[in-house]
């Protein structure tokens, strides 16, 4: 239904425009047609008038010619012997009448063949001095023009010629004589014109009026005859009234009934209007045909219809285009709105789907996620987060978070200061990774250890804020502790027989005389046992570096380095060393101590025999692109004057168990630098070695720095690590005691634990106990 409406709307514009176009064109055509018809009608009327005028003029002219001719004839009838002078006077008016097309007027008399000489004499006597009558053919009677008056310049009347030469003349003379009235001849070419070229010859005719005396018994005397050239006559007559717009044709009906065109008079144009009408000339009926090009008749045709047609067409086109633009413009706009709305709907659905997906992900994952805006107002907290925090109620005031959620440092008793909380650090632009926090509140009275990653909110979120991801690591930590206890038990079990063997070897040594060759072997046994003991310690340290929890705190590196060097050189006086000003770092105290101990230990160890070791520890602060806006990265360098490391070996010495060829002469396991690399990488830093410009090697590590005014904890090695180790040690002692009790209770002969030769203190893999290089 809606779609049908849409379709109707889409076609409404074009249909409307087409309607306007059709109507406009129709009206234009009708108006132009009407104008054209009116013009046509006017042209017909003008043509009728023109034709009537032409006909009237032709008739009037012929009547006038005839009247003149008859008047002259009547005058001649009164004279029994008409002299030349009398003829001249009588025919004078004809010359003055301006008879168009008239060639000549003549006085014609019938003469019997026998009378020709006598008649010639008589007419010469009456005035026709040069008259010579020339009979044409043998006949009873001949017709001679004895007097003639030229009516057209250049025409010389054929006086004395026998008119029997032209049958048309003979006929008309006979006819007029018979009917006693003026008669008109058939058309013919004048005798005098017959010598002209055919194109210039004209059809002509004559009017003949018989002359009868006025006696009681009228006596026939002859004829008065008027010759006319058809074309000259008609052009003269029509020329004045047609004003060059009428074509004319004069059709005569000859004595035998045939129609002969006397004259066909043309005018320029393409004639489309024709009129014809008969009229009588003497005893004949002639027809006048007129034609005209309606375009040339005045007022009959103008450019108006064409203008109306073109103008109307243009206007209609313009109007329909406007209508189309307006109508479809609305439709277009509506279509655009519909498209935009549809796109919006799709986008809305997509974003709703995304939001749903995000919500589902947040609900499904086991890690807690919490998002706050820049004021600390909680925007998002997923179910896992609520579960971990033990409370459904979000708190929007960071200063209350400690009490509200029960947030403590990893020792589980020290309340965590708000500025150390990862979310708050992230709000200040400082990412905080794997920060360990204990949550203890009414809902979670047993306490839960969580590891928190805090990050500033990505700018694509469109608002400032921070996000925290946290997970429960209580079990993980318990497992790690168990692992360390297990490692401690294994170490204890391995080291007990070692201690026994060591003890027995030393006793044997004491018992042997100094020069005994066995002494040397026993000394080797003691050395091997020591190396094995060191190896066990180192492997434990390696495990610790990987698995032990990372608890970074601000540390005074210089103090730590000094402690290490002093411990390592307590029993030597050949070592020189210096420690430059070292900026504090954010690091795990136990691990940093491992690191420094390994690097400084190597620096003291790898020197050529006889060379006094010289160790320099210094540092520089690098660009502030690391953790903390003001902390940046700190580079700590340990340089020595030892044997150095070949370039080819440099990339490999940080791999486990890799030792250089030259190092074979020195005690070692090849694990120390691998432990260092692991510690540095767990802090996000790097470790590498270069040649020391004055000889020897220069190791450097990068570690996160801390702002200069931070309170440092490095001096007492960090209570947390101590606590942790104490807990592990206690667990280990418990585990060993339990196992001894079980073995005793079993009372199985031969399965008692071997007792060490002398009291061996229980040694945990503590960093300060690692002395691999003293073997
Ligand atoms: P270890 O010292 O037990 O062999 P390390 O992992 O500490 O193992 O060192 C690996 C190797 O790197 C050494 O065997 C030695 O070849 C080389 N090395 C380490 N420190 C130095 C040093 N300061 N000078 C020269 N060579 C060193």
């Amino acid at each position: 239904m809606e779609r049908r409406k849409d379709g109707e709307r889409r076609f409404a514009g074009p249909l409307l425009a087409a309607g306007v176009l059709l109507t406009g064109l129709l009206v234009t055509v009708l108006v132009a047609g009407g104008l054209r018809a009116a013009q046509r009608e006017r042209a017909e009327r003008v043509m009728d008038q023109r034709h009537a005028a032409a006909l009237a003029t032709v008739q009037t002219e012929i009547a006038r010619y005839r009247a003149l001719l008859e008047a002259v004839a009547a005058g001649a009838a009164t004279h029994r012997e008409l002299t030349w002078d009398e003829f001249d006077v009588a025919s004078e008016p004809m010359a003055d009448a301006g008879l168009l097309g008239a060639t000549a007027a003549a006085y014609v008399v019938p003469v019997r063949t026998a009378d020709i000489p006598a008649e010639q004499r008589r007419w010469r006597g009456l005035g026709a001095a040069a008259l010579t009558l020339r009979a044409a053919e043998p006949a009873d009677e001949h017709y001679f023009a004895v007097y003639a008056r030229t009516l057209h310049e250049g025409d010389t009347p054929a006086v004395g010629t026998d008119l029997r030469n032209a049958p048309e003349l003979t006929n008309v003379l006979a006819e007029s004589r018979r009917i006693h009235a003026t008669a008109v001849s058939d058309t013919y070419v004048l005798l005098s014109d017959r010598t002209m070229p055919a194109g210039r010859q004209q059809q002509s005719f004559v009017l003949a009026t018989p002359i009868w005396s006025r006696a009681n018994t009228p006596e026939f005397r002859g004829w008065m005859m008027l010759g006319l050239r058809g074309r000259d006559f008609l052009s003269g007559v029509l020329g004045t009234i047609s004003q060059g717009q009428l074509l004319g044709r004069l059709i005569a009906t000859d004595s035998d009934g045939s129609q002969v065109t006397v004259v066909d008079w043309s005018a320029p144009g393409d004639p489309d209007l024709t009129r014809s009408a008969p009229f009588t000339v003497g005893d004949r009926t002639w027809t006048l045909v007129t034609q005209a090009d309606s375009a040339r008749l005045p007022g009959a045709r103008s450019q108006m219809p064409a203008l109306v047609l073109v103008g109307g067409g243009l206007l209609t086109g313009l109007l329909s285009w406007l209508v189309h633009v307006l109508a479809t413009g609305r439709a277009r706009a509506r279509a655009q709105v519909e498209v935009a709305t549809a796109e919006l709907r799709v986008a809305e659905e997509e974003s709703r789907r995304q939001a749903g997906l995000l919500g589902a992900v947040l609900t499904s994952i086991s890690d807690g996620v919490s998002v706050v805006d820049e004021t600390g107002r909680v925007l998002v907290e997923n179910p896992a987060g609520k579960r971990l925090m033990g409370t459904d109620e979000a708190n929007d005031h960071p200063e209350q978070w400690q009490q509200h959620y029960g947030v403590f440092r990893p020792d589980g008793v020290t309340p965590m200061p708000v500025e150390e909380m990862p979310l708050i650090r992230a709000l200040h632009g400082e990412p905080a990774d794997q920060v360990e926090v204990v949550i203890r509140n009414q809902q979670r009275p047993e306490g839960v250890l969580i590891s928190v990653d805090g990050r500033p909110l990505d700018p694509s979120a469109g608002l400032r804020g921070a996000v925290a991801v946290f997970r429960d690591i209580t079990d993980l930590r318990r497992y790690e502790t168990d692992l360390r206890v297990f490692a401690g038990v294994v170490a204890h079990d391995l080291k007990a027989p070692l201690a026994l063997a060591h003890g027995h070897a030393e006793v044997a040594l004491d018992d042997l005389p100094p020069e005994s060759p066995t002494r040397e072997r026993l000394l080797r046994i003691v050395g091997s046992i020591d190396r094995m003991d060191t190896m066990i310690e180192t492997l434990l340290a390696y495990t610790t570096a990987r698995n032990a929890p990372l608890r970074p705190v601000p540390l005074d590196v210089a103090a730590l380095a000094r402690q290490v060097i002093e411990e390592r050189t307590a029993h030597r006086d050949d070592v020189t060393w210096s420690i430059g000003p070292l900026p504090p770092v954010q690091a795990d105290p136990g691990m940093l101590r491992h690191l420094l101990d390994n690097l400084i230990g190597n620096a003291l160890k790898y020197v050529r025999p006889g060379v006094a070791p010289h160790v320099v520890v210094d540092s520089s602060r690098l660009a502030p692109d690391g953790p903390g806006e003001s902390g940046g990265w700190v580079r700590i360098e340990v340089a020595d004057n030892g044997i150095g490391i070949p370039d080819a070996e440099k990339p490999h010495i940080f791999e486990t168990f890799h030792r250089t060829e030259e190092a074979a002469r020195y005690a070692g396991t090849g694990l120390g630098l691998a432990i260092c690399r692991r510690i540095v990488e767990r802090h996000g830093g790097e470790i590498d070695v270069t040649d020391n410009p004055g000889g020897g090697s220069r190791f450097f590590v990068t570690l996160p720095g801390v702002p200069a005014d931070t309170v440092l904890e490095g001096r007492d090695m960090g209570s947390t690590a101590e606590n942790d180790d104490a807990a592990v040690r206690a667990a280990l002692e418990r585990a060993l005691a339990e196992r001894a009790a079980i073995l005793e209770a079993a009372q199985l002969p031969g399965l008692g634990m071997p007792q060490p030769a002398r009291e061996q203190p229980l040694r945990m893999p503590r960093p300060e106990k690692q002395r691999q290089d003293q073997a």
Side-chain angles (χ1 to χ4, degrees):
M1 189 67 187
E2 188 59 30
R3 182 169 298 179
R4 227 182 87 194
K5 258 193 187 158
D6 276 3
E8 282 170 10
R9 253 186 246 140
R10 192 168 323 129
F11 290 119
L15 278 180
L16 196 62
V20 170
L21 187 70
L22 283 180
T23 313
L25 288 180
L26 194 68
V27 169
T28 307
V29 167
L30 283 179
V31 170
L35 281 173
R36 188 80 196 87
Q39 280 190 348
R40 181 86 201 170
E41 205 180 310
R42 201 173 321 135
E44 300 276 358
R45 227 172 27 244
V46 171
M47 185 64 195
D48 285 344
Q49 290 167 356
R50 289 285 167 92
H51 177 72
L55 186 64
T57 312
V58 169
Q59 279 179 312
T60 311
E61 280 297 288
I62 287 185
R64 187 165 69 91
Y65 287 20
R66 179 180 173 166
L68 268 172
L69 192 63
E70 286 174 353
V72 175
T78 56
H79 301 276
R80 200 165 174 281
E81 297 281 315
L82 183 71
T83 63
W84 162 252
D85 292 334
E86 286 162 349
F87 170 78
D88 194 35
V89 172
S91 64
E92 178 89 63
M94 289 188 109
D96 300 339
L99 301 178
L100 294 167
T103 54
Y107 182 54
V108 179
V109 292
V111 181
R112 289 177 181 282
T113 310
D115 299 339
I116 289 177
E119 282 294 307
Q120 182 172 301
R121 266 192 311 276
R122 182 167 79 95
W123 288 107
R124 278 186 182 173
L126 287 171
L131 181 68
T132 308
L133 300 179
R134 297 175 294 274
E137 59 195 50
D140 288 350
E141 198 173 46
H142 301 272
Y143 310 114
F144 296 107
V146 288
Y147 301 142
R149 171 179 282 275
T150 299
L151 297 177
H152 178 257
E153 218 176 305
D155 277 326
T156 322
V159 178
T161 306
D162 186 352
L163 298 188
R164 273 199 179 274
N165 283 337
E168 295 86 356
L169 294 180
T170 315
N171 291 345
V172 74
L173 294 178
E175 178 69 7
S176 69
R177 184 174 177 177
R178 188 180 64 79
I179 63 174
H180 289 244
T182 305
V184 63
S185 72
D186 288 347
T187 54
Y188 73 109
V189 178
L190 290 181
L191 294 176
S192 56
D193 283 358
R194 290 189 184 178
T195 53
M196 284 184 183
R200 284 187 54 204
Q201 289 180 359
Q202 295 191 26
Q203 288 294 324
S204 304
F205 57 93
V206 298
L207 295 174
T209 305
I211 302 169
W212 292 89
S213 67
R214 295 191 166 220
N216 285 340
T217 326
E219 180 191 341
F220 182 71
R221 301 233 168 98
W223 297 269
M224 210 40 109
M225 205 174 76
L226 178 64
L228 289 164
R229 283 200 183 88
R231 190 195 303 150
D232 291 351
F233 168 71
L234 194 65
S235 68
V237 172
L238 285 187
T240 43
I241 59 156
S242 84
Q243 295 163 1
Q245 290 150 355
L246 277 188
L247 293 80
R249 197 180 317 139
L250 201 54
I251 300 166
T253 313
D254 280 353
S255 50
D256 59 357
S258 64
Q259 305 262 300
V260 179
T261 299
V262 181
V263 51
D264 204 344
W265 190 64
S266 66
D270 189 9
D272 55 343
L273 297 171
T274 306
R275 297 288 183 277
S276 76
F279 62 98
T280 50
V281 181
D283 56 334
R284 301 279 177 86
T285 300
W286 283 18
T287 305
L288 176 68
V289 179
T290 54
Q291 285 186 310
D293 179 355
S294 59
R296 294 178 173 266
L297 292 179
R301 189 191 272 186
S302 70
Q303 300 302 319
M304 203 54 169
L307 280 179
V308 166
L309 204 60
V310 171
L314 283 176
L315 276 179
T316 304
L318 197 67
L319 194 66
S320 72
W321 177 72
L322 273 177
V323 167
H324 181 265
V325 165
L326 286 178
T328 56
R330 264 185 68 195
R332 266 202 307 277
R334 193 182 297 125
Q336 277 168 358
V337 167
E338 275 163 13
V339 168
T341 312
E343 282 172 357
L344 208 63
R345 209 170 294 139
V346 170
E348 195 191 340
E349 260 165 36
E350 176 62 18
S351 71
R352 202 174 296 140
R353 204 180 60 79
Q354 290 279 356
L357 191 66
L358 197 66
V361 169
L362 283 177
T363 308
S364 323
I365 56 172
S366 56
D367 283 0
V369 175
S370 178
V371 182
V372 296
D373 68 9
E374 57 187 330
T375 66
R377 193 163 61 90
V378 178
L379 302 176
V380 173
E381 192 170 41
N382 72 342
K386 288 179 181 152
R387 220 166 30 245
L388 281 174
M389 301 309 274
T391 167
D392 274 350
E393 273 174 53
N395 186 299
D396 293 340
H397 307 286
E399 67 281 2
Q400 297 172 0
W401 284 355
Q402 200 284 317
Q403 286 97 332
H404 182 82
Y405 296 109
V407 189
F408 296 91
R409 282 190 175 160
D411 64 5
V413 290
T414 319
M416 177 156 262
V418 67
E419 66 277 4
E420 279 184 25
M421 293 181 186
L423 260 182
I424 300 302
R425 282 167 61 186
L427 273 182
H428 294 149
E430 176 190 339
D433 282 344
Q434 296 179 15
V435 178
E436 290 178 9
V437 170
V438 169
I439 299 296
R440 188 177 325 106
N441 50 37
Q442 276 186 340
Q443 284 74 30
R444 318 235 36 182
E446 75 290 359
V448 46
L449 180 67
I450 60 173
S451 168
V452 188
D453 294 343
R455 291 286 160 84
L457 209 53
D458 191 88
S460 63
L463 78 162
R464 277 169 56 85
V467 57
V469 178
F470 43 97
R471 65 200 69 85
D472 185 352
I473 58 165
T474 317
D475 288 343
L476 180 70
R477 186 51 33 81
R478 206 167 284 146
Y479 168 75
E480 282 170 3
T481 307
D482 287 353
L483 206 63
R484 291 175 69 193
V485 169
F486 171 76
V489 169
V490 171
H492 180 265
D493 287 357
L494 283 176
K495 289 169 73 150
L498 278 186
L500 191 71
H502 193 276
H504 283 299
E506 281 191 342
V507 171
L509 268 177
D510 290 346
D511 291 348
L512 279 178
E515 64 286 357
S516 168
T518 318
R519 225 184 143 76
E520 179 61 23
R521 292 197 188 106
L522 279 177
L523 279 174
R524 285 201 187 159
I525 289 171
V526 170
S528 296
I529 291 171
D530 280 346
R531 276 201 298 284
M532 186 149 178
D533 187 60
T534 306
M535 179 67 107
I536 291 169
E537 291 283 348
T538 312
L539 280 172
L540 278 174
Y542 184 70
T543 315
T544 306
R546 188 178 62 190
N547 297 324
L550 192 70
R551 296 202 183 82
V553 292
L555 285 178
D556 180 349
V557 193
L560 208 52
R562 185 166 297 108
Q563 264 181 32
V564 170
I565 293 183
E566 280 171 357
E567 273 178 28
R568 286 220 168 237
T569 58
H571 57 286
R572 312 174 56 163
D573 49 12
D574 59 336
V575 179
T576 52
W577 50 271
S578 74
I579 297 176
L582 301 179
V585 297
Q586 181 83 16
D588 182 285
M591 292 193 188
L592 185 64
R593 198 192 155 96
H594 266 297
L595 178 70
L596 290 174
D597 193 57
N598 268 321
L599 293 178
I600 292 170
N602 281 349
L604 295 172
K605 178 169 65 170
Y606 290 110
V607 287
R608 294 188 203 292
V611 175
H614 178 67
V615 182
V616 177
V617 184
D618 53 18
S619 107
S620 61
R621 190 185 279 276
L622 302 177
D625 57 353
E629 275 167 7
S630 50
W633 286 86
V634 170
R635 177 178 163 125
I636 296 166
E637 301 186 348
V638 178
D640 60 44
N641 58 340
I643 57 174
I645 302 164
D647 282 345
E649 295 283 353
K650 282 184 180 118
H652 304 294
I653 54 170
F654 299 99
E655 291 163 10
T656 44
F657 303 114
H658 185 93
R659 310 198 71 214
T660 62
E661 226 176 279
E662 212 179 344
R665 288 186 276 124
Y666 303 83
T669 59
L671 273 177
L673 287 181
I675 294 171
C676 289
R677 183 170 72 175
R678 186 160 280 180
I679 289 171
V680 172
E681 283 174 355
R682 284 195 67 190
H683 283 79
E686 289 172 354
I687 183 167
D688 210 345
V689 64
T690 58
D691 292 332
N692 192 18
S697 311
R698 178 172 279 264
F699 282 83
F700 67 87
V701 296
T702 54
L703 290 170
V706 290
D709 53 354
T710 314
V711 181
L712 304 178
E713 296 187 16
R715 284 170 215 282
D716 63 353
M717 292 299 298
S719 53
T720 317
E722 291 287 333
N723 289 343
D724 197 50
D725 279 354
V728 173
R729 252 196 321 283
L732 179 55
E733 266 158 26
R734 256 195 330 273
L736 290 172
E738 275 169 20
R739 196 179 54 170
I742 291 167
L743 287 176
E744 254 169 46
Q747 286 187 342
L748 295 172
L751 282 180
M753 287 290 289
Q755 289 303 304
R758 58 178 185 190
E759 194 53 39
Q760 177 79 16
L762 180 66
R763 285 166 65 179
M764 274 302 296
R766 295 188 58 191
E768 63 273 26
K769 301 276 171 64
Q770 188 192 344
R771 292 288 177 272
Q772 51 167 321
D773 52 334
Q774 288 176 3

